[in-house]
Amino acid sequence: MSYRLVIGDKNISSWSLRPWLAMRHAGIPFAEINIELRQPASKANILRYSPSGKMPTLLAGGQAIWDSLAILEYLAEAHPEARLWPEPGEARALARSAAAEMHAGFAALREHCPMDFLARLPMATLPDLVAADVRRIVALWRDCRRRHGASGPFLFGGFSAADAMYGPVASRFRTYLPDLAPYGDDGAAQAYVDALFALPAMAEWEEGVHRETRS
Ligand SMILES: N[C@@H](CCC(=O)N[C@@H](CS)C(=O)NCC(=O)O)C(=O)O
C-alpha cells in the first residue's frame, strides 16, 4: 500500500503530529502533502484531499481516511507488526480510553495553550479549567505508567497510539509548563515528556518545523 499523509504546518498542527509520529516511529513509509493553514486557499486545498475539510488525512491507495484517531486505528489494523495498541486486553482498553479522552477532551488546554512547537512561553498561573485539564493528564499518565509502563518509557511501556495522541500535549507542556510539579507530578509526567522528545521521530518533526519556519 502506498501512503500519502496530508498535514498542516508543523509548528501548529497538533492533530497532524499524531499520525505522523506514529508512522515515522513505526517505520511505515509515506509521502507528505503539506498544506499551509490560515491562508485564503487553505480550505480549498484541504478539500482536494479530505471530505471533512480537515487534516490530517491519510490517502491509502485510492482511499481517504480522515481524523487522527481513525487514521491510527486504520494503521493499527493494517500494520499489526507496528503494535500500535498494547497487547494485553486490559492495557489495550485503557490505551483506547486514554486516546479517546484526549481526542474528545481537554478543550481548555487546547484553547489556552495552542501547540506552538518552537515557542517557550512559560505560564506562571493557569486559568482554573486549564489547570484541571493539566492535573487530569498528569494523573492519567501516572496511572498508565504505573499499571502498564514497566517495559519501557511510554504510557504502556513500548510506544503506542496513545503516545501518538499525547505527543502534541508534550509539546504544549514544553512550551507553557516546564514544571509540572504544581499539577501533581511526582516526576513521572516530566520523564514521560522527556521520553517523547527523545524519540528520533520527534526530533525529525522539530527539524521540519525549523525548515518550514525558515522558508
Ligand atoms: N478531529 C480532527 C480535527 C482535525 C483538525 O481540526 N485539523 C485542523 C488542523 S490542525 C484543520 O484541518 N484545520 C483547517 C480548517 O479547519 O480549515 C482530527 O483529529 O483529525
Side-chain angles (χ1 to χ4, degrees):
M1 178 66 71
S2 81
Y3 292 127
R4 289 176 298 159
L5 187 64
V6 187
I7 58 173
D9 311 57
K10 287 196 167 112
N11 197 41
I12 57 171
S13 188
S14 55
W15 309 90
S16 298
L17 172 56
R18 298 164 167 187
W20 190 100
L21 186 59
M23 293 181 85
R24 264 296 188 276
H25 180 75
I28 300 169
F30 63 99
E32 272 179 39
I33 298 176
N34 303 91
I35 294 182
E36 222 179 322
L37 289 160
R38 301 175 184 168
Q39 299 298 313
S42 297
K43 195 51 130 189
N45 287 336
I46 300 169
L47 281 166
R48 287 171 57 202
Y49 304 105
S50 172
S52 68
K54 302 260 187 218
M55 299 175 288
T57 292
L58 181 69
L59 305 174
Q63 190 184 4
I65 299 132
W66 63 93
D67 191 285
S68 54
L69 189 52
I71 296 169
L72 290 170
E73 288 287 7
Y74 172 88
L75 292 169
E77 212 175 282
H79 297 273
E81 74 287 356
R83 298 177 185 279
L84 281 176
W85 293 116
E87 269 305 313
E90 194 202 321
R92 202 161 56 249
L94 180 57
R96 282 202 159 99
S97 297
E101 185 174 351
M102 176 67 244
H103 202 51
F106 307 126
L109 176 71
R110 282 185 183 143
E111 185 188 335
H112 292 271
C113 302
M115 190 169 98
D116 190 349
F117 207 84
L118 297 181
R120 299 292 181 273
L121 304 164
M123 291 169 83
T125 54
L126 294 179
D128 288 352
L129 288 175
V130 183
D133 280 354
V134 175
R135 272 195 296 273
R136 168 62 193 146
I137 291 169
V138 164
L140 172 68
W141 286 356
R142 188 177 51 229
D143 189 39
C144 296
R145 294 273 313 129
R146 190 175 48 77
R147 287 164 65 182
H148 299 288
S151 63
F154 299 105
L155 292 178
F156 297 88
F159 185 90
S160 74
D163 303 300
M165 292 297 290
Y166 282 94
V169 172
S171 167
R172 292 165 199 258
F173 285 179
R174 184 174 72 161
T175 295
Y176 303 102
L177 298 169
D179 180 13
L180 293 169
Y183 306 98
D185 185 27
D186 57 4
Q190 192 55 56
Y192 173 59
V193 168
D194 294 345
L196 283 171
F197 276 104
L199 285 170
M202 275 296 247
E204 197 190 327
W205 179 272
E206 186 155 344
E207 279 162 30
V209 178
H210 281 292
R211 267 199 306 280
E212 280 181 4
T213 50
R214 268 199 302 267
S215 59

